[in-house]
Amino acid sequence: MAGDKQQQQEQTLHLVVFPWLAFGHLIPFLELSKRLAARGHAVTFVSTARNIARLPPEGLSGRVRMVALPLPAVDGLPEGAESTADVPPEKVELLKAAFDGLATPFADFLAAACAGDREEEEGVFGRKPDWIVLDFAHYWLCPIADEQQVPCAMFLIFTAAWVAYIGSREENINHPRVTVDDFKPMPTWFPSPPSLTFRHHEAAWIAASFRTNASGVSDIDRFWRTEQRCRLLLLRSCPELEPRLFPLIADVFRKPAVVPTGFLLPEDKSTTDATRSSAVRWLDEQPPRSVLFVALGSEAPVTAENVRELAAGLELSGERFVWALRPPSGAGGGGDGAAAAMLPEGFEARTRGRGVVCAGWVPQVRVLGHVAVGAFLTHCGWGSVTESLGFGGHPLVMLPFITDQGLIARMMAERGVGVEVARRGDDEGWFGADDVAAAVRRVMVEERKALALNARRLRDLVAGDDDGGRQEWYVDELVECFRRHSIITEESL
C-alpha cells in the first residue's frame, strides 16, 4: 500500500499558479486550478490576501492551496488596493509597480517550497513544484524559478489572434511599429482578412502599451521578457475557433508547444443566488429569446457619456433588455448609486415593463443560459464572449473599448455571429444612441435568424458535444504536455 501511495504521488503534479492582479485574470487562473485539481493534481494558487478573500469558493477542494503574498505600499496607490478593480485606469501602472515588489516574497516562498523539508505540509504540497504557471506581467519571476530549476509556462487569457498580433520581440525589431497608424493593421507575420484591423482610438491604446509606464517597464516588454524564458505558452482558446493560429504562434515565438486550454468556463452554480436576483425573476416572466442582455464587464473604461448614450439607444430600439450596470470608469467608491445616477432622467420609468436595470451584481452565467435571453450586448471581453458561446450560443451586439476587444468584435463579425455598434470620430471612438439602436435592431429583429443560427453552430463547433467534452479534453492534453516537457536541461534554462 505504501508503494502504491508513493507511485500515485509521483504521477501527481504539483503546480504553482500565479495570475496578474486583475479579476479578469484571477478567475480564469482559478478555473484552470480547479480543473487540474479535479484530475488529482495539487495546485498552489498565489496572490495577495485581499484578492484571495474575494475569490469565489465554489468548486475548490483540498487540492488547491492558497498562498498570500504581502503587496508592498507604493506612493500614490490607494491603501488596500490589490487589484485593478480597486483603482481607476490611470493608477494601474502603480499597481504594476507594487506587483514587482512581490519578487522577494515570492523568491522566499519558492525557496521554501523547493527545500523538501516542509514537515507542516503533507503529500504533494510538501514536494518541490513541477511547474510554475504565470501571467504576462511576471518578468522578474523566471530568473527566480531558474535558480530553483522549476520550469515556467505562461498562461495567456487572451485570444490567439491577439498574441499573434503582438508578436515576438524579434518580429517587432524586424518590422517596427512606430506611429499609431502602424498599429491599425495586422502585422506582416499574421496573414488575416482585411477586416481584422483596429480603429485609431484602439490602436492608440495599443501603441501606449509599448511605451514605458510608471512601473518602469512597458506592458509589452513585461510580456516579451516573460515569454522568452517560459518553456510553454498556454492560450485560453481552441483551434476550432482560431484555426491556423496555434502553429503560427509556435513559429513566431519559437516554442516547442503552444497549448490550448479551452475556454475554462465557470460552472453554473448560481441556483441559490439566482433566487435573489431581480434580473432572473424578471426574465422568468418574458417570452423565449425576446430579451437583450447588456453587460460591459467589470473594468471596461465606460464613461458617464457612454452610459447615457447606451441608455438612450436601448430606449430608442424598443426591445426588451436586462442591463447589468456598473459604475463608470473612475467613479471611485460611488458604487451602485454612481452607476444609476448616470442614467438619463426618467429612463427607468419610460422603459418599465420592457427593461430592467440592475445596478449591482448579476449572475451572468445564469442570465446567459436563461431561455428568455435572445442576444448579448457586450464589450467583447474574451471571458464574456466565451461565456456567451458556452452558455447560450447568443448573437452579439458588440461595443468594444480597449485591448483586444476590437479584434474580438471583428473576429465575431467575420464569423457572422454579431454586429458592432458603429463608431464616429475615429480619434475618440464616440458612439451615439442611434448607433446603439441600429445595431440592436439588426441583431434582435432584422438579421436575427441568420446571426442566431451562426452563433449556435459556432457553439456546437467549440463544444464538441452537448456536454462540452472537447473543452475538457484540452485540459487533459495540457496535463500530458506538462509531463512531456517537465525535464529541465541546461539548454532550457
Side-chain angles (χ1 to χ4, degrees):
M1 293 294 292
D4 291 342
K5 184 176 181 181
Q6 182 178 357
Q7 184 179 13
Q8 182 180 5
Q9 288 196 3
E10 289 174 354
Q11 294 175 345
T12 300
L13 295 173
H14 177 200
L15 303 107
V16 174
V17 172
F18 190 1
W20 160 238
L21 307 180
F23 279 89
H25 294 242
L26 287 155
I27 297 300
F29 272 72
L30 185 64
E31 290 297 329
L32 177 60
S33 300
K34 290 193 290 188
R35 281 164 171 78
L36 292 169
R39 287 159 171 80
H41 305 290
V43 179
T44 298
F45 189 97
V46 179
S47 190
T48 64
R50 187 164 185 237
N51 288 333
I52 289 173
R54 290 182 287 184
L55 289 171
E58 294 86 1
L60 290 178
S61 70
R63 291 187 176 273
V64 179
R65 174 185 64 161
M66 297 292 182
V67 170
L69 301 180
L71 190 70
V74 168
D75 287 344
L77 189 67
E79 185 178 355
E82 296 188 7
S83 84
T84 56
D86 302 324
V87 296
E90 63 272 15
K91 298 278 190 180
V92 171
E93 298 174 0
L94 298 177
L95 185 65
K96 291 188 174 88
F99 179 77
D100 293 343
L102 294 177
T104 297
F106 181 82
D108 294 341
F109 151 76
L110 188 61
C114 293
D117 58 356
R118 304 186 67 194
E119 295 182 359
E120 73 279 9
E121 300 290 355
E122 295 184 359
V124 180
F125 284 123
R127 197 184 75 197
K128 178 180 177 178
D130 297 289
W131 282 89
I132 299 173
V133 181
L134 46 77
D135 213 326
F136 81 98
H138 302 58
Y139 70 96
W140 41 264
L141 191 151
C142 291
I144 296 170
D146 287 349
E147 290 182 6
Q148 302 295 338
Q149 293 194 319
V150 180
C152 291
M154 176 187 271
F155 175 36
L156 297 170
I157 66 161
F158 312 110
T159 62
W162 175 250
V163 178
Y165 167 84
I166 295 299
S168 65
R169 186 191 297 275
E170 183 179 11
E171 291 288 1
N172 279 267
I173 290 172
N174 294 335
H175 308 281
R177 291 176 279 190
V178 180
T179 69
V180 170
D181 286 342
D182 293 336
F183 288 92
K184 288 183 179 180
M186 293 300 106
T188 58
W189 60 84
F190 181 7
S192 63
S195 59
L196 289 190
T197 60
F198 286 101
R199 294 193 172 92
H200 187 89
H201 71 279
E202 297 166 340
W205 189 96
I206 296 166
S209 69
F210 278 70
R211 297 192 292 269
T212 301
N213 57 47
S215 72
V217 187
S218 75
D219 287 348
I220 301 304
D221 199 42
R222 285 177 181 274
F223 166 65
W224 284 334
R225 291 167 67 177
T226 308
E227 67 83 9
Q228 286 173 339
R229 302 186 71 156
C230 284
R231 191 174 305 183
L232 301 176
L233 291 184
L234 320 180
L235 302 184
R236 188 179 53 152
S237 185
C238 59
E240 289 78 18
L241 187 60
E242 301 189 89
R244 300 182 299 279
L245 285 180
F246 283 84
L248 171 67
I249 292 170
D251 182 58
V252 168
F253 289 93
R254 299 183 178 181
K255 298 296 180 187
V258 175
V259 189
T261 67
F263 294 153
L264 304 174
L265 297 175
E267 293 183 53
D268 181 6
K269 294 182 177 294
S270 56
T271 304
T272 55
D273 291 331
T275 62
R276 299 193 295 271
S277 168
S278 60
V280 174
R281 291 199 302 271
W282 186 81
L283 284 170
D284 290 340
E285 301 171 358
Q286 308 309 311
R289 307 302 177 199
S290 66
V291 177
L292 175 70
F293 177 45
V294 182
L296 299 180
S298 59
E299 298 177 34
V302 181
T303 66
E305 182 185 19
N306 294 153
V307 172
R308 288 191 293 269
E309 294 296 335
L310 179 54
L314 292 173
E315 183 176 352
L316 187 61
S317 75
E319 297 298 320
R320 291 181 174 90
F321 65 89
V322 166
W323 187 357
L325 177 60
R326 294 181 180 268
S329 177
D336 299 346
M342 298 298 101
L343 294 171
E345 185 176 354
F347 170 78
E348 291 184 270
R350 292 191 300 273
T351 57
R352 185 170 292 120
R354 70 173 179 86
V356 171
V357 178
C358 302
W361 180 80
V362 170
Q364 178 161 302
V365 167
R366 174 52 56 96
V367 170
L368 286 169
H370 200 287
V371 68
V373 173
F376 183 21
L377 193 158
T378 173
H379 64 307
C380 287
W382 191 226
S384 289
V385 170
T386 55
E387 285 184 8
S388 181
L389 281 173
F391 294 107
H394 297 302
L396 306 173
V397 180
M398 302 181 292
L399 189 58
F401 287 88
I402 58 171
T403 58
D404 58 344
Q405 294 165 10
L407 182 57
I408 293 168
R410 269 124 252 170
M411 287 168 54
M412 293 298 106
E414 280 285 330
R415 290 276 193 170
V417 300
V419 172
E420 191 171 347
V421 175
R423 299 276 189 155
R424 308 178 191 179
D426 195 42
D427 287 350
E428 298 299 328
W430 182 84
F431 65 90
D434 289 344
D435 305 308
V436 174
V440 169
R441 289 195 196 105
R442 284 180 63 187
V443 172
M444 293 294 288
V445 181
E446 298 164 11
E447 303 173 34
R448 176 175 181 167
K449 288 185 179 180
L451 291 168
L453 178 60
N454 290 337
R456 289 195 297 272
R457 285 174 173 169
L458 188 57
R459 175 197 62 192
D460 294 343
L461 176 66
V462 299
D465 57 41
D466 291 340
D467 297 322
R470 178 173 290 146
Q471 293 294 311
E472 290 301 313
W473 177 82
Y474 282 121
V475 182
D476 295 332
E477 288 298 297
L478 172 61
V479 170
E480 292 306 310
C481 192
F482 279 139
R483 287 181 170 137
R484 286 196 304 271
H485 293 274
S486 61
I487 299 173
I488 286 279
T489 65
E490 289 185 7
E491 291 79 10
S492 65
L493 291 176

